[in-house]
Amino acid sequence: MISFINVSYAYPNGTSALHNVSFHIDKGEFVFLVGPSGAGKSSVLKLIFREIVANSGQVLVLQRNLCRLRRKEIPYLRRQIGVVYQDFRLLPEKTAAENVAFALEVIEASSSEIKRQVPRVLGIVGLKGKEDRFPHQLSGGEQQRVAMARALVNNPPLLVCDEPTGNLDPNTSWQIMCLLERINQLGTTVLIATHDKEIVNRMGRRVLELNNGVLVRDDHKGAYTHEA
Protein backbone atom coordinates (compact mmCIF):
# COMPACT_ATOMS: atom_id res chain seq x y z
CA MET A 1 0.00 0.00 0.00
CA ILE A 2 2.80 2.44 0.99
CA SER A 3 6.56 1.91 0.72
CA PHE A 4 9.31 4.40 1.52
CA ILE A 5 12.71 3.13 0.40
CA ASN A 6 15.71 5.17 1.57
CA VAL A 7 13.74 8.39 1.17
CA SER A 8 15.37 11.76 1.80
CA TYR A 9 13.87 15.20 1.33
CA ALA A 10 15.23 18.69 1.95
CA TYR A 11 13.40 22.01 1.77
CA PRO A 12 14.43 24.46 -0.97
CA ASN A 13 16.57 26.33 1.58
CA GLY A 14 18.59 23.15 2.14
CA THR A 15 17.13 22.19 5.53
CA SER A 16 16.77 18.42 5.80
CA ALA A 17 13.22 17.20 6.50
CA LEU A 18 13.70 13.44 6.03
CA HIS A 19 16.88 11.39 5.90
CA ASN A 20 17.07 7.84 4.56
CA VAL A 21 13.58 6.86 5.74
CA SER A 22 12.35 3.34 4.95
CA PHE A 23 9.12 1.62 5.96
CA HIS A 24 6.34 -0.47 4.40
CA ILE A 25 2.61 -0.39 5.19
CA ASP A 26 0.56 -3.34 3.97
CA LYS A 27 -3.02 -3.31 2.78
CA GLY A 28 -5.43 -3.28 5.71
CA GLU A 29 -2.98 -2.00 8.33
CA PHE A 30 -3.74 0.66 10.96
CA VAL A 31 -0.64 2.76 11.65
CA PHE A 32 0.21 5.79 13.77
CA LEU A 33 2.92 8.24 12.67
CA VAL A 34 4.27 10.10 15.70
CA GLY A 35 7.06 12.47 16.66
CA PRO A 36 7.58 16.03 17.89
CA SER A 37 6.88 19.09 15.78
CA GLY A 38 9.48 19.32 13.03
CA ALA A 39 10.16 15.57 13.11
CA GLY A 40 9.10 15.08 9.48
CA LYS A 41 5.51 13.83 9.77
CA SER A 42 4.10 16.49 7.47
CA SER A 43 6.78 15.75 4.88
CA VAL A 44 5.82 12.07 4.89
CA LEU A 45 2.17 12.97 4.30
CA LYS A 46 3.02 15.45 1.55
CA LEU A 47 5.12 12.81 -0.19
CA ILE A 48 2.19 10.38 -0.04
CA PHE A 49 -0.17 13.00 -1.53
CA ARG A 50 2.51 13.88 -4.12
CA GLU A 51 2.55 17.50 -2.98
CA ILE A 52 6.35 17.22 -2.88
CA VAL A 53 8.82 14.83 -4.51
CA ALA A 54 11.66 13.03 -2.72
CA ASN A 55 15.19 14.19 -3.47
CA SER A 56 16.37 10.59 -3.31
CA GLY A 57 14.94 7.14 -2.70
CA GLN A 58 11.58 5.77 -3.78
CA VAL A 59 8.02 6.51 -2.63
CA LEU A 60 5.54 3.84 -3.73
CA VAL A 61 1.83 4.39 -3.06
CA LEU A 62 -0.90 2.12 -4.40
CA GLN A 63 1.64 0.43 -6.69
CA ARG A 64 2.76 3.74 -8.21
CA ASN A 65 6.27 5.15 -8.04
CA LEU A 66 5.46 8.73 -7.10
CA CYS A 67 8.92 9.96 -8.03
CA ARG A 68 8.10 9.09 -11.63
CA LEU A 69 4.43 10.06 -11.62
CA ARG A 70 3.47 12.48 -14.37
CA ARG A 71 1.64 15.64 -13.37
CA LYS A 72 -1.54 14.63 -15.21
CA GLU A 73 -1.65 11.38 -13.21
CA ILE A 74 -1.61 13.11 -9.79
CA PRO A 75 -5.40 13.76 -9.62
CA TYR A 76 -6.11 10.08 -10.26
CA LEU A 77 -3.75 9.09 -7.43
CA ARG A 78 -5.45 11.50 -5.03
CA ARG A 79 -8.88 10.12 -5.83
CA GLN A 80 -7.71 6.88 -4.24
CA ILE A 81 -6.54 8.54 -1.02
CA GLY A 82 -9.06 9.82 1.50
CA VAL A 83 -7.70 12.68 3.60
CA VAL A 84 -8.97 13.92 6.98
CA TYR A 85 -7.55 17.14 8.46
CA GLN A 86 -7.51 18.57 11.97
CA ASP A 87 -9.49 21.67 10.95
CA PHE A 88 -12.25 19.72 9.12
CA ARG A 89 -12.18 22.04 6.04
CA LEU A 90 -15.94 21.89 5.55
CA LEU A 91 -17.77 24.34 3.28
CA PRO A 92 -19.86 26.44 5.71
CA GLU A 93 -22.64 27.23 3.23
CA LYS A 94 -23.28 23.55 2.47
CA THR A 95 -25.10 20.96 4.58
CA ALA A 96 -23.44 17.77 5.80
CA ALA A 97 -24.84 15.87 2.83
CA GLU A 98 -23.82 18.59 0.39
CA ASN A 99 -20.27 18.67 1.78
CA VAL A 100 -19.97 14.94 1.20
CA ALA A 101 -21.62 15.13 -2.22
CA PHE A 102 -19.19 17.85 -3.28
CA ALA A 103 -16.33 15.33 -3.17
CA LEU A 104 -18.16 13.27 -5.79
CA GLU A 105 -19.24 16.25 -7.84
CA VAL A 106 -15.65 17.36 -8.42
CA ILE A 107 -14.86 13.98 -9.99
CA GLU A 108 -18.03 14.21 -12.08
CA ALA A 109 -19.86 11.28 -10.49
CA SER A 110 -23.40 10.73 -11.74
CA SER A 111 -26.36 12.07 -9.79
CA SER A 112 -27.55 8.52 -9.15
CA GLU A 113 -24.13 7.60 -7.71
CA ILE A 114 -24.20 10.66 -5.46
CA LYS A 115 -27.71 9.86 -4.21
CA ARG A 116 -26.64 6.31 -3.43
CA GLN A 117 -23.24 6.95 -1.85
CA VAL A 118 -23.87 10.02 0.32
CA PRO A 119 -26.51 8.45 2.63
CA ARG A 120 -24.48 5.24 2.80
CA VAL A 121 -21.30 6.89 4.01
CA LEU A 122 -23.09 9.29 6.39
CA GLY A 123 -24.67 6.21 7.93
CA ILE A 124 -21.26 4.59 8.35
CA VAL A 125 -19.95 7.58 10.33
CA GLY A 126 -23.09 7.78 12.49
CA LEU A 127 -24.73 10.90 11.07
CA LYS A 128 -27.99 9.45 9.83
CA GLY A 129 -30.70 12.04 10.44
CA LYS A 130 -28.26 14.97 10.38
CA GLU A 131 -27.78 15.14 6.63
CA ASP A 132 -29.43 18.59 6.31
CA ARG A 133 -27.52 20.33 9.10
CA PHE A 134 -24.93 22.96 8.33
CA PRO A 135 -21.45 22.82 9.92
CA HIS A 136 -22.32 25.51 12.50
CA GLN A 137 -25.24 23.32 13.65
CA LEU A 138 -22.93 20.37 14.35
CA SER A 139 -20.55 19.68 17.24
CA GLY A 140 -16.82 19.45 16.61
CA GLY A 141 -17.00 15.67 16.66
CA GLU A 142 -19.89 15.67 14.21
CA GLN A 143 -18.02 18.01 11.89
CA GLN A 144 -15.06 15.64 11.97
CA ARG A 145 -17.42 12.79 11.08
CA VAL A 146 -18.63 14.77 8.07
CA ALA A 147 -14.99 15.27 7.06
CA MET A 148 -14.42 11.54 7.39
CA ALA A 149 -17.53 10.76 5.34
CA ARG A 150 -16.29 13.11 2.63
CA ALA A 151 -12.91 11.35 2.62
CA LEU A 152 -14.57 7.93 2.38
CA VAL A 153 -17.36 8.59 -0.12
CA ASN A 154 -15.22 7.64 -3.12
CA ASN A 155 -14.33 4.28 -1.49
CA PRO A 156 -10.56 4.95 -1.28
CA PRO A 157 -8.37 2.01 -0.31
CA LEU A 158 -6.19 4.36 1.76
CA LEU A 159 -7.26 6.86 4.43
CA VAL A 160 -4.68 9.36 5.72
CA CYS A 161 -5.49 11.49 8.77
CA ASP A 162 -3.50 14.55 9.84
CA GLU A 163 -4.11 15.21 13.56
CA PRO A 164 -7.80 14.14 13.30
CA THR A 165 -8.41 14.60 17.06
CA GLY A 166 -6.38 17.78 17.52
CA ASN A 167 -9.41 20.04 18.07
CA LEU A 168 -11.56 17.57 20.00
CA ASP A 169 -12.08 16.76 23.67
CA PRO A 170 -10.79 13.38 24.95
CA ASN A 171 -14.17 11.60 24.88
CA THR A 172 -14.97 12.77 21.35
CA SER A 173 -11.43 11.92 20.26
CA TRP A 174 -11.91 8.35 21.43
CA GLN A 175 -15.21 8.09 19.55
CA ILE A 176 -13.47 9.25 16.37
CA MET A 177 -10.70 6.69 16.87
CA CYS A 178 -13.24 3.91 17.39
CA LEU A 179 -14.87 4.97 14.13
CA LEU A 180 -11.52 4.90 12.35
CA GLU A 181 -10.91 1.44 13.75
CA ARG A 182 -14.28 0.30 12.38
CA ILE A 183 -13.45 1.78 8.97
CA ASN A 184 -10.16 -0.11 9.06
CA GLN A 185 -12.00 -3.34 9.88
CA LEU A 186 -14.07 -2.81 6.74
CA GLY A 187 -10.85 -3.05 4.72
CA THR A 188 -9.48 0.49 4.45
CA THR A 189 -5.80 1.03 5.22
CA VAL A 190 -5.45 3.83 7.81
CA LEU A 191 -2.43 6.05 8.50
CA ILE A 192 -2.75 8.67 11.26
CA ALA A 193 -0.23 11.41 12.05
CA THR A 194 -0.84 12.54 15.62
CA HIS A 195 0.50 14.10 18.82
CA ASP A 196 -2.23 12.46 20.91
CA LYS A 197 -0.21 10.27 23.26
CA GLU A 198 -3.21 8.93 25.19
CA ILE A 199 -4.97 7.73 22.05
CA VAL A 200 -1.84 6.04 20.66
CA ASN A 201 -1.10 4.32 23.96
CA ARG A 202 -4.70 3.18 24.38
CA MET A 203 -5.02 1.79 20.86
CA GLY A 204 -1.83 -0.31 20.97
CA ARG A 205 -1.42 -0.34 17.18
CA ARG A 206 1.67 -0.10 15.00
CA VAL A 207 3.71 3.05 15.64
CA LEU A 208 6.22 4.70 13.32
CA GLU A 209 8.25 7.33 15.20
CA LEU A 210 10.18 10.11 13.51
CA ASN A 211 12.75 12.36 15.15
CA ASN A 212 14.69 15.05 13.28
CA GLY A 213 13.73 13.49 9.96
CA VAL A 214 14.93 10.01 10.89
CA LEU A 215 12.73 6.95 11.48
CA VAL A 216 13.84 5.93 14.98
CA ARG A 217 11.23 3.28 15.79
CA ASP A 218 8.78 0.87 14.17
CA ASP A 219 6.75 -1.00 16.80
CA HIS A 220 3.93 -3.23 15.62
CA LYS A 221 2.10 -2.97 18.94
CA GLY A 222 3.63 0.19 20.26
CA ALA A 223 3.07 3.19 22.49
CA TYR A 224 3.68 6.85 21.76
CA THR A 225 7.15 6.72 23.34
CA HIS A 226 9.46 4.01 24.68
CA GLU A 227 8.74 5.21 28.20
CA ALA A 228 4.95 5.09 27.87
Side-chain angles (χ1 to χ4, degrees):
M1 189 61 66
I2 302 173
S3 289
F4 276 49
I5 305 169
N6 301 322
V7 172
S8 294
Y9 176 76
Y11 296 110
N13 65 7
T15 302
S16 177
L18 297 171
H19 179 67
N20 203 34
V21 171
S22 295
F23 64 84
H24 179 78
I25 296 175
D26 285 326
K27 180 180 179 181
E29 282 201 85
F30 189 116
V31 182
F32 288 110
L33 181 65
V34 306
S37 296
K41 300 190 301 297
S42 293
S43 295
V44 168
L45 299 187
K46 288 178 179 179
L47 286 165
I48 292 171
F49 305 152
R50 191 40 166 77
E51 289 184 20
I52 59 176
V53 181
N55 299 124
S56 62
Q58 295 185 67
V59 178
L60 307 176
V61 177
L62 299 168
Q63 300 181 332
R64 292 181 173 92
N65 186 336
L66 302 197
C67 299
R68 298 177 182 174
L69 200 67
R70 291 177 292 181
R71 185 174 297 275
K72 67 179 182 180
E73 296 176 309
I74 295 174
Y76 298 98
L77 168 77
R78 292 176 180 169
R79 288 181 188 179
Q80 295 182 280
I81 304 174
V83 184
V84 178
Y85 298 98
Q86 176 178 344
D87 56 1
F88 315 143
R89 302 192 183 185
L90 301 179
L91 299 170
E93 73 281 4
K94 292 184 179 292
T95 65
E98 289 169 344
N99 265 280
V100 176
F102 185 72
L104 290 175
E105 290 167 0
V106 297
I107 63 170
E108 300 180 344
S110 67
S111 58
S112 61
E113 179 74 1
I114 293 171
K115 289 179 181 178
R116 181 169 61 253
Q117 293 292 358
V118 171
R120 178 189 67 83
V121 75
L122 283 171
I124 288 174
V125 301
L127 288 178
K128 186 177 180 180
K130 298 185 178 181
E131 298 89 345
D132 295 330
R133 296 192 183 182
F134 291 91
H136 73 272
Q137 297 174 313
L138 299 169
S139 68
E142 288 170 338
Q143 290 182 56
Q144 187 62 294
R145 288 171 183 263
V146 175
M148 291 170 63
R150 182 182 57 193
L152 293 167
V153 73
N154 200 35
N155 295 313
L158 174 62
L159 181 64
V160 177
C161 305
D162 188 5
E163 298 288 353
T165 61
N167 290 327
L168 305 175
D169 63 78
N171 184 57
T172 304
S173 295
W174 182 245
Q175 292 176 15
I176 292 297
M177 294 310 304
C178 290
L179 177 56
L180 286 168
E181 188 170 45
R182 181 187 170 203
I183 290 166
N184 173 245
Q185 290 169 350
L186 293 173
T188 303
T189 304
V190 177
L191 173 64
I192 304 172
T194 185
H195 285 104
D196 195 328
K197 296 182 181 180
E198 182 178 348
I199 287 291
V200 175
N201 293 343
R202 190 172 175 183
M203 294 289 288
R205 294 300 196 105
R206 182 181 175 190
V207 174
L208 300 172
E209 181 181 357
L210 290 167
N211 195 3
N212 293 322
V214 177
L215 184 66
V216 296
R217 183 165 58 101
D218 182 354
D219 284 352
H220 279 263
K221 288 187 177 180
Y224 192 91
T225 63
H226 285 296
E227 294 77 20

